[in-house]
Each structure stands twice: as C-alpha cells, then as structure tokens.
C-alpha cells in the first residue's frame, strides 16, 4: 500500500480509537497504592466482566476543496495560502515530514501544510539566497521542486503510464541529422534549420499524428494547452525573439535580434528591462520590424476585447507594473477605480528601443531573463487600423479599438479571425518560413522560405526551400515514409512501431536513418480533477493501484522505455538533485487490496440506495450541504449509474467516464489495461468510454468550446494523452491556482489542493 496512505489510515484509526475512549466516560477509581501490580490467584467467586468493545465514532465526510469553495468569494471568504503568506516564507521555514516527504511551514506560530499552488509559486518566486544557508538559487529551486514533486505524487492529478525512448526516422536525403541531432528540447521542426535536402525539389515533408487546427499566428489562442502540431508550425513561421531557447533547453539573449539589453533595479523592488533591437530586421514582405511590433500582441492580449475574442483571458501583461489598471479599462471607464488605457509597465522609447518593468511581487524570479522575451507581430494582425503610442507615461492603444456594437467589441471578431489568418499576402510572418498554403480538410501546411529572415540565435538561416507539415496515420506511417509521402517520422513510440521503424531503417541500404533520445515527458491518464469521482484524491490513487504501470509501459514501449512517478524528466538537473537529497515517491505498486483500502477510507462504502456496499459499483455519500450541481448531476456515459438522493444525502457512483482518441495504440492498450482491468472491477469501479478525435477530447477536458466541439454539459473525467517537459522553463506557477479568475484559463489539472485554501472568514 502507498506508504503515505497507510500512515494516514493508521493515524485515522488511532484517532478513532482515541476519540472512542474519550467518548466512553466511565468513571473508574484509581488503583490503591497498596494494590499489588500483579496477582497470582483469583478468588473462585470472582467473575471477570466482559471486555467492552470500543464505540466507533461515526464517519465524518471530508469535502474536497472544490466543494468547499463553491459559492464562496475569493478574496472575501477565502484566499490562497501563498497569497496570504507566501512571499514571507523562505526555504529555511519549511520542514519535511520524514515519513512522507510532504512539506510544512510554521507561519506566525502555526503549522501549515504546503499545497501545489504554494509550492509551484515558491519554486520560482522564493529562490533568493539572502537570509538562507543556501549558496545558489539553483539549490533553493531544486529543494522547492522536490517538495512539489512529492506532493504531486501524493495527490496524483494524473497517472504517468509510460516514459519512453523517442525515435526519429528520416529519409537519408535529408542531411545534417547526425551533426545536428534532435533531443527532448529540440525537435525536427527546430533542428531542420541546420539541415539540407538533396531531394530534387529541395523539400522536407514532416509528419505528425496530431491534427493541425490552423492556429499558427498564436497557437495558445483560446487554450492553455495548444496542440503540439500547431506549436511546431508556429515556431517555424514566427521568430526574431529578443530572448530565445537554445538546443540545450536554456535561455539566451538573441544576439541576432537584440543589440543591447539593460536591467535596472528600481527603488520599489520592480525591475526594468530596456531592450534595443537592430534596425535591419524585416517581416517576410520586406517591411521593417520596429520596437512597436514587439509590443502589439502583448498590449492586445490583456484587454477585455481580446478576452471576448478568445473566450479566455490571456493576461499577457500580468507580471508587469500597471497590469490591473490596464486590464480593467474597457474603453469607457478611464479613472474609475484606477482603470486606465495606459499600460505603465510597457514603454516605447524609440523606433528600435522599448522597455518592460516587472512588478516587484513577481521578483525575484528564477527564470527572470524570460521577462525580456518578446516576439514581433504585424500591426494589422491584431490591431487592424489602430496602433499604439506612448506620451511618456506608458503605452496605450489608439483609434477605435474599444468600440462596441451592442454588447460586443467590434474588434473581437477581427482578433478571433486573425488567430486563423494564414494568408501570407495579407499578414507577413517573422520566422524562418512563411505559410504558402494551408489545407484545412487535409490538415496540411506548406511552408516556404522567408527571404528576409535574419537568422536564429546562432545566426543560422534555413536552406531547405519547402517544408510540408502533414497529418499522418500511425498505422500507415512507415509505408508513408517508404513511398516518399513523408521524409521524417518524429517521436515514434510504442514497442511494435519502434521495432518496425528500426528494422525498416536497418534494412534500407542507407535509404533511411534514425536518431533516438529519452523522452522528456510521458503518456498518461489525465483527470479533470475537480469533477466526478476523480475530484477525490483517493479515487485517483485507487486507479493507480489497480493498474500495472510497469507492465503497461513495457507492453507499450516494447522495452524502449519505462515509467516515472511524477512530472519530471530523469535527465533533468533538478531531478538528479532531488534524488540526491532523498526524495520520497510512491510507486503505487499494483494491488486491488490497496485500492479497496483507500476507497473505503474515503467513504466509498454504499450502494445506490444508501445501504451498505456489498458488490458491483461503489457509491459515496455526499451530504447535501456539500454537493455541487456537478455532483448532483453526475452519471455514467450510458446513464446506468447516476447520483441518487436518499434522505438528506446524495450518493455518487464510482463510474469513470473516459474519453480516448481514435487511431491510437495507447487508447487501444488502455481497453485491457484500464477499462477491462480485473482490479478495477474488484475495487468496485466501472469504466465507460468514448473514442473520438483529439480536438473534441480537449474541449471535453476544458469543458468549453475552445475548438467548437464541447457538448455543453460536463461528462468526462478521464482522458488519455501525453505531456512533455521539453521547455527551457519548468514553471507551473499559476497552473495550480485556486483563484476563480484564473482557474479556467490557467489550471493544469483542474485540481484544487485543500492545503492551498486559507479561510478569511
């Protein structure tokens, strides 16, 4: 059994017995000091009284944080522990439970358990060495990271099922792969800038099993987790960043773009980055790139106009001085409660110079150099006929940007359309390539060279004249490669697929080559962790206990990988540091008994009528005072299992609604590994599935029409897809928030950690 859970069960049992003893207040006289401590004889007439069974206290329902904060007002009734105390807590204030590894801190004389939001915020914002015994910020970051991973492993907001080797297989006519290989931080879409093509048409066809959506201008538009394929194309057509990520996964000031960068420490604790760009940068149509171009998208995506367009508040200036006042401006309320059209933290200082001032509350920041990372965008793309100006107090948007037609902003439609505006003749690009054509039905993008691209951070310009990014089907991808329909299959995974790919390359007489590297990420069962049965930690743990993750990983990867116990890449420096300092993680070894134990401890002990559970599907009693609308309406996909009401209580079924993706070996293996798993049935759970396309699945996860597919009513609580840690930044601050104003837009797992709730009243 999970050692943390076993410990908590033992403590709970001890508490129950202790409470029972206290509740049974029978008065017993103290023994006489003359009474012998032992007796060798017992009078024949003495009949010992029967031992009394301890009186068991009634089970007490423990609501989830999502249930407790429902109907409460953030900032009035409750806030986050980090919001309340976080900036005053240093790493020296944290204590680690020796048996669980969970982190606690004593604040104002009271002990607090530290939750996911607190730890992810502290991990990047509380790394100053001053006043600590730590010599470097890296050391402090690694310690916070260890505490975060440990708590994540306990709460289990998703279940890693395999972490594998990635194989990239190429047409040998693509040269440079050996000297400029891919790695977890540098995929083919990035690496191809150093490659050449010996094909007659100087082309390179890159395949991906994930659909393109066409959001190449801003792949994050309207979503917190954009499709990887959209990200790939977006990287190739957008460029000239002032600060860039490198092949090694670190940050560097881009010497091709940034002529000078100065950092100023201000008296109020804020920090100003003054950035001067070179005057020879151009868009793909030959028009100049100036300082204004680096501020357009940042200015737009902190306005209510863009929020309406994206159905999501991207808060692009959130870390900068003046954000709240600027974001509150709606075009009509200048000066009301501080609202202003001026974004004080962004300054336009010249044709090729601008600055950004970071609010003191977001400093020090472990990845502070990223605050100076800006990318240019063409004015008309997001602003139409409007523009920006600076009269000396900060930047503001000119023209009729905030004009309305009825209750809607006129510019909102323009911005929404621009997210999918791939016509190069209308809006130019800034990256090494431009979109020559996008086939919506085929999900295929054709890219051609941008003749005005100055180069990447190493000054390199691409030489491959045409890149085709196409949708491929996993079952036929190798045949596609053999026939010349694709020149590269990236991130091949799964045992059968990997074996077949290697065999094909090895027997091709040099026609195909491959590279491989350990994946910085994993395939997973993801949860909508605030909905249905999986809002309860113990249910997520029970699912993990039911699955044989090691065997699943072996079967899926064919031996080309394994399984991890948290959101990490074993090759990362912080993982190695955490292991060296004794990080405690549970492997959730397969055990139906352990699954049953955690479910019983969490109260899944009823049937649909509120009686004692005996067999079939378990139900959990939820008192009416805690039941949310989603709890009351929860049911299985086929409607056979529904939340019932008996007396004053609701009873939720342990029915798990799973959405899997089509043409996916991972989904196929989950049918036996999860849906039809004997342990799942033995534990009293039932799994029902829907198999569909990726974009509709994401909409069901988001419970929103990001891609236009959401059913309108929540249904699914489990999803299978993958996640990666291949960014230069490992930063989940704000992604574990319990603040409702940010939750829908930023939440990574839709989890609300009870330890993060601080009650104000």
């Amino acid at each position: 059994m999970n050692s943390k859970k076993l410990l908590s069960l033992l403590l709970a049992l001890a508490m129950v017995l202790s409470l029972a003893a206290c509740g049974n207040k029978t008065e017993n006289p103290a023994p006489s000091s003359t009474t012998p401590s032992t007796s060798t004889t017992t009078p024949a007439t003495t009949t010992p009284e029967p031992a009394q069974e301890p009186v068991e206290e009634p089970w007490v329902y423990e609501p989830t944080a999502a249930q407790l904060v429902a109907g409460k007002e953030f900032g009035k009734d409750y806030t986050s522990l980090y919001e309340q105390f976080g900036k005053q807590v240093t790493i020296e204030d944290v204590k680690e439970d020796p048996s669980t590894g969970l982190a606690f801190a004593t604040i104002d004389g009271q002990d607090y358990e530290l939750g996911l939001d607190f730890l992810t915020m502290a991990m990047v914002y509380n790394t100053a060495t001053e006043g600590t015994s730590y010599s470097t910020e890296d050391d402090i970051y690694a310690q916070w990271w260890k505490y975060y991973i440990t708590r994540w492993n306990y709460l289990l907001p998703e279940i890693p099922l395999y972490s594998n080797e990635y194989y990239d297989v190429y047409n040998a006519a693509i040269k440079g792969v050996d000297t400029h290989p891919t790695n977890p931080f540098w995929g083919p879409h990035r690496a191809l800038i150093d490659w050449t093509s010996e094909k007659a048409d100087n082309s390179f066809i890159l395949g991906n099993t994930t659909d393109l959506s066409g959001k190449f201008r801003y792949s994050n538009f309207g979503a917190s987790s954009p499709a990887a394929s959209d990200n790939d194309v977006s990287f190739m057509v957008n460029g000239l960043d002032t600060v860039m990520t490198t092949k090694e996964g670190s940050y560097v000031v881009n010497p091709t773009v940034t002529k000078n960068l100065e950092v100023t420490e201000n008296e109020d604790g804020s920090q100003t980055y003054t950035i001067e760009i070179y005057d020879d940068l151009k868009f793909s149509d030959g028009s100049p790139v100036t300082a204004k171009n680096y501020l357009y998208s940042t200015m737009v995506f902190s306005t209510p106009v863009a929020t309406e367009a994206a159905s999501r508040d991207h808060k692009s200036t959130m870390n900068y001085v003046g954000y709240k006042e600027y974001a509150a401006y709606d075009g009509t309320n200048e000066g009301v409660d501080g609202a202003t059209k001026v974004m004080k933290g962004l300054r336009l200082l010249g044709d090729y110079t601008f600055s950004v001032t970071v609010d003191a509350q977001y400093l020090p920041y472990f990845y502070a150099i990223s605050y100076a990372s800006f990318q240019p965008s063409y004015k008309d793309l997001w602003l139409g006929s409007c523009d920006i100006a600076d009269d000396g107090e900060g930047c503001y948007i000119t023209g009729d940007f905030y004009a309305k037609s009825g209750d809607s902003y006129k510019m909102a439609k323009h911005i929404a359309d621009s997210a999918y505006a791939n016509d190069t003749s209308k809006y130019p690009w800034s990256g090494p390539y431009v979109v020559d054509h996008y086939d919506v039905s085929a999900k295929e993008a054709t890219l051609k060279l941008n003749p005005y691209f100055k180069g990447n951070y190493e000054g390199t310009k691409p030489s491959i004249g045409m890149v085709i990014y196409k949708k491929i089907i996993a079952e036929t991808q190798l045949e596609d490669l053999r026939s010349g329909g694709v020149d590269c299959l990236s991130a091949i995974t799964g045992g059968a697929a990997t074996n077949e790919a290697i065999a094909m390359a090895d027997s091709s007489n040099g026609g195909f080559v491959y590279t491989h590297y350990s994946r910085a990420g994993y395939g997973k069962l993801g949860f909508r962790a605030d909905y249905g049965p999986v809002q309860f930690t113990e249910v997520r743990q029970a699912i993990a206990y039911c699955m044989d993750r090691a065997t699943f990983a072996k079967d899926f990867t064919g031996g080309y990988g394994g399984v991890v116990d948290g959101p990490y890449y074993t090759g990362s420096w912080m993982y190695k540091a955490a292991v060296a300092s004794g990080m405690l993680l549970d492997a959730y070894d397969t055990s139906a008994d352990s699954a049953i134990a955690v479910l019983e401890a969490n109260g899944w002990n009823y049937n649909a009528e509120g009686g004692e559970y005996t067999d079939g599907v378990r139900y959990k009693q939820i008192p009416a005072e805690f039941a949310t609308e989603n709890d009351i309406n929860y049911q299985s996909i086929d409607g056979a299992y529904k939340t019932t009401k008996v007396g004053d209580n609701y009873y939720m079924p342990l029915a798990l609604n799973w959405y899997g993706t089509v043409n996916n070996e991972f989904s196929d293996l989950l049918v036996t590994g999860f849906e039809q798993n004997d342990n799942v049935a033995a534990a009293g759970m039932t799994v029902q599935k829907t198999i569909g396309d990726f974009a509709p699945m994401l909409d069901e996860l988001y419970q929103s029409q990001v891609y236009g597919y959401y059913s309108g009513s929540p249904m699914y609580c489990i999803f299978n897809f993958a996640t990666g840690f291949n960014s230069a930044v490992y930063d989940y601050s704000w992604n574990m928030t319990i603040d409702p104003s940010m939750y829908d837009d930023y939440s990574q797992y839709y989890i609300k950690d009870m330890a993060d709730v601080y009650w104000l009243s």
Side-chain angles (χ1 to χ4, degrees):
M1 180 184 292
N2 179 324
S3 61
K4 297 185 183 73
K5 181 54 62 179
L6 178 60
L7 176 64
S8 64
L9 289 175
L10 291 174
L11 290 173
L13 177 60
M15 183 64 73
V16 167
L17 293 177
S18 174
L19 289 172
C22 293
N24 185 15
K25 295 183 178 180
T26 53
E27 297 287 336
N28 291 316
S32 167
S33 61
T34 59
T35 304
S37 60
T38 60
S39 175
T40 57
T41 61
T42 301
T45 57
T46 301
T47 303
E49 294 184 4
Q52 294 185 356
E53 292 291 331
V55 177
E56 185 174 342
E57 289 293 308
W59 177 76
V60 178
Y61 179 78
E62 295 182 4
T64 65
Q67 292 172 332
L68 275 182
V69 302
K72 302 295 192 301
E73 184 178 345
F74 187 84
K76 178 182 178 182
D77 300 313
Y78 72 103
T79 187
S80 71
L81 186 66
Y82 189 85
E83 183 80 13
Q84 188 72 15
F85 298 119
K87 294 298 287 186
Q88 73 187 60
V89 177
T90 73
I91 195 68
E92 300 283 16
D93 299 317
V94 182
K95 302 293 185 291
E96 180 179 333
D97 186 297
S99 61
T100 66
L102 297 176
F104 299 81
T106 302
I107 306 171
D108 295 342
Q110 184 171 342
D111 289 334
Y112 293 90
E113 189 172 6
L114 303 183
L116 292 177
D117 176 63
F118 191 105
L119 294 170
T120 51
M121 293 292 289
M123 187 167 73
V124 292
Y125 292 115
N126 295 30
T127 59
T129 59
E130 185 178 357
T132 75
S133 60
Y134 289 77
S135 58
T136 71
E137 288 193 8
D138 282 6
D139 294 335
I140 297 176
Y141 174 93
Q143 192 66 19
W144 284 119
W145 188 89
K146 184 183 83 166
Y147 293 144
Y148 162 64
I149 296 295
T150 303
R151 184 159 191 84
W152 189 103
N153 171 261
Y154 173 62
L155 294 181
L156 213 62
E158 61 188 19
I159 300 176
L161 291 177
Y162 67 87
S163 184
N164 49 323
E165 286 283 303
Y166 268 162
Y167 279 74
D168 297 341
V169 185
Y170 304 88
N171 177 348
I174 306 303
K175 302 298 183 181
V177 174
D178 53 343
T179 54
H180 300 280
T182 50
N183 66 49
F185 306 104
W186 203 249
H189 65 290
R190 296 172 184 258
L192 64 83
I193 198 170
D194 289 302
W195 299 344
T196 60
S197 172
E198 294 185 348
K199 295 170 63 179
D201 61 355
N202 189 25
S203 71
F204 177 60
I205 308 173
L206 179 58
N208 196 304
T209 57
T210 301
D211 286 347
L212 290 170
S213 76
K215 289 194 298 183
F216 307 146
R217 297 287 180 176
Y218 180 21
S219 58
N220 275 62
F221 183 85
S224 57
S225 300
S229 53
D230 285 342
N231 265 343
D232 289 354
V233 175
S234 182
F235 178 86
M236 289 187 279
V237 296
N238 297 294
L240 301 181
D241 304 60
T242 54
V243 174
M244 288 195 69
T245 55
T246 69
K247 299 172 182 178
E248 295 76 29
S250 60
Y251 272 121
V252 63
V253 176
N254 187 353
T256 305
V257 169
T258 305
K259 185 176 182 179
N260 188 45
L261 191 154
E262 294 182 359
V263 183
T264 303
E265 303 287 344
N266 303 314
E267 290 185 2
D268 62 358
S270 64
Q271 198 172 70
T272 299
Y273 294 81
T274 303
I275 303 165
E276 181 184 5
I277 60 172
Y278 285 102
D279 61 5
D280 60 349
L281 305 176
K282 296 180 180 181
F283 285 108
S284 60
D285 64 351
S287 61
V289 174
T290 69
K292 278 187 176 182
N293 296 109
Y294 283 89
L295 300 178
Y296 289 139
S297 63
T298 304
M299 290 286 291
V300 166
F301 284 100
S302 275
T303 67
V305 183
T307 299
E308 180 182 321
S311 297
R312 181 181 189 271
D313 187 356
H314 283 282
K315 302 179 188 288
S316 60
T317 61
M318 183 178 69
N319 298 321
Y320 307 150
V321 168
Y323 159 71
K324 289 184 178 179
E325 295 79 6
Y326 175 70
Y329 179 70
D330 65 6
T332 65
N333 61 340
E334 180 73 35
V336 179
D337 295 327
T340 176
K341 68 178 182 180
V342 177
M343 180 55 212
K344 183 179 178 181
L346 291 177
R347 296 295 318 280
L348 184 62
L349 303 175
D351 288 344
Y352 300 101
T353 306
F354 65 96
S355 71
V356 56
T357 300
V358 180
D359 196 301
Q361 67 177 310
Y362 301 114
L363 294 166
Y365 178 55
F366 188 71
Y367 298 104
I369 191 61
S370 67
Y371 286 138
S373 182
F374 287 80
Q375 187 179 82
S377 61
Y378 194 67
K379 180 188 76 68
D380 294 358
L381 180 69
W382 304 121
L383 283 166
S385 61
C386 301
D387 205 336
I388 62 171
D390 185 343
D391 297 336
E393 299 297 327
C395 291
Y396 62 93
I397 299 176
T398 65
D400 60 353
F401 181 78
Y402 291 93
K404 283 189 171 184
S405 176
D407 293 330
S408 297
Y409 290 102
K410 293 180 180 180
M411 280 295 295
K413 184 179 186 306
H414 173 82
I415 294 171
D417 291 343
S418 292
Y420 296 89
N422 295 313
D423 185 349
T424 299
S425 64
K426 186 174 183 180
Y427 303 124
W429 307 86
S430 60
Y433 289 89
V434 303
V435 175
D436 183 65
H437 176 69
Y438 175 57
D439 189 325
V440 177
S441 60
K443 308 295 184 185
E444 181 174 305
T446 301
L447 314 178
K448 290 191 175 180
L449 284 170
N450 172 4
Y452 294 99
F453 181 66
K454 189 179 178 181
N456 69 0
Y457 73 96
E458 294 178 320
T460 304
K461 300 178 183 180
S463 65
I464 296 176
M466 178 171 61
V467 176
I468 299 173
Y469 198 104
K470 62 179 287 187
K471 169 68 181 294
I472 57 177
I473 305 300
E475 290 82 357
T476 59
Q477 61 181 355
L478 288 179
E479 183 54 41
D480 214 5
L481 183 63
R482 287 191 190 97
S483 66
V486 66
D487 294 314
C488 172
L489 300 176
S490 63
I492 293 177
T493 186
T498 303
N499 286 332
E500 189 177 359
I502 292 173
M504 188 200 76
D506 288 344
S507 62
S508 68
N509 294 320
F512 300 99
V513 296
Y514 61 84
T515 61
H516 67 94
Y517 48 88
S518 295
R519 180 182 187 177
Y522 49 70
K524 65 187 182 183
L525 271 188
F527 299 115
R528 174 82 197 202
D530 62 354
Y531 176 64
V534 301
Q535 69 183 290
F536 300 96
T537 298
E538 291 78 3
V539 171
R540 302 191 298 269
Q541 292 174 335
I543 295 170
Y545 281 131
C546 287
M547 301 188 71
D548 187 342
R549 296 191 303 133
T551 298
F552 188 100
K554 181 179 179 181
D555 290 345
F556 184 75
T557 68
Y560 298 105
V563 67
V564 294
D565 298 316
Y568 53 77
Y569 168 46
T570 56
S572 66
W573 67 271
M574 56 274 204
Y575 173 78
K576 295 173 183 177
V579 170
S581 65
M583 180 167 61
L584 296 172
L585 299 181
D586 288 314
Y588 292 94
D589 294 332
T590 308
S591 169
D593 289 341
S594 295
I596 292 170
V598 295
L599 291 173
E600 288 180 343
N602 190 235
W604 295 89
N605 302 316
Y606 299 90
N607 58 31
E609 292 74 38
E612 182 181 356
Y613 170 78
T614 55
D615 57 18
V617 173
R618 294 176 179 271
Y619 283 71
K620 179 181 177 68
Q621 182 190 98
I622 302 177
E625 62 182 299
F626 297 119
T628 67
E629 182 179 356
N630 280 344
D631 296 335
I632 294 169
N633 295 326
Y634 188 78
Q635 63 178 14
S636 61
I637 294 172
D638 65 1
Y641 303 96
K642 300 180 179 180
T643 296
T644 59
K645 186 176 184 183
V646 180
D648 293 330
N649 298 312
Y650 290 93
Y651 293 84
M652 176 184 286
L654 194 42
L656 306 174
N657 296 335
W658 162 43
Y659 196 120
T661 50
V662 296
N663 300 321
N664 189 334
E665 184 184 353
F666 184 20
S667 298
D668 296 340
L669 194 57
L670 280 169
V671 171
T672 54
F674 174 50
E675 180 192 9
Q676 299 173 6
N677 186 323
D678 290 341
N679 288 336
V680 169
M685 297 184 274
T686 185
V687 178
Q688 295 188 6
K689 72 173 183 294
T690 292
I691 300 296
D693 291 329
F694 189 71
M697 182 202 74
L698 289 179
D699 269 12
E700 295 296 335
L701 170 64
Y702 301 147
Q703 295 183 0
S704 176
Q705 288 206 12
V706 173
Y707 297 102
Y709 296 100
Y710 181 49
S711 63
S713 299
M715 172 64 71
Y716 302 94
C717 57
I718 300 180
F719 310 82
N720 65 280
F721 49 110
T723 195
F725 314 106
N726 48 5
S727 168
V729 175
Y730 192 107
D731 175 6
Y732 284 91
S733 59
W734 312 110
N735 294 133
M736 312 297 164
T737 183
I738 60 171
D739 182 346
S741 69
M742 301 176 67
Y743 182 76
D744 287 336
D745 295 332
Y746 283 83
S747 186
Q748 181 71 17
Y749 312 109
Y750 298 98
I751 190 169
K752 294 179 180 178
D753 189 340
M754 180 63 74
D756 286 313
V757 179
Y758 181 85
W759 294 105
L760 297 171
S761 58

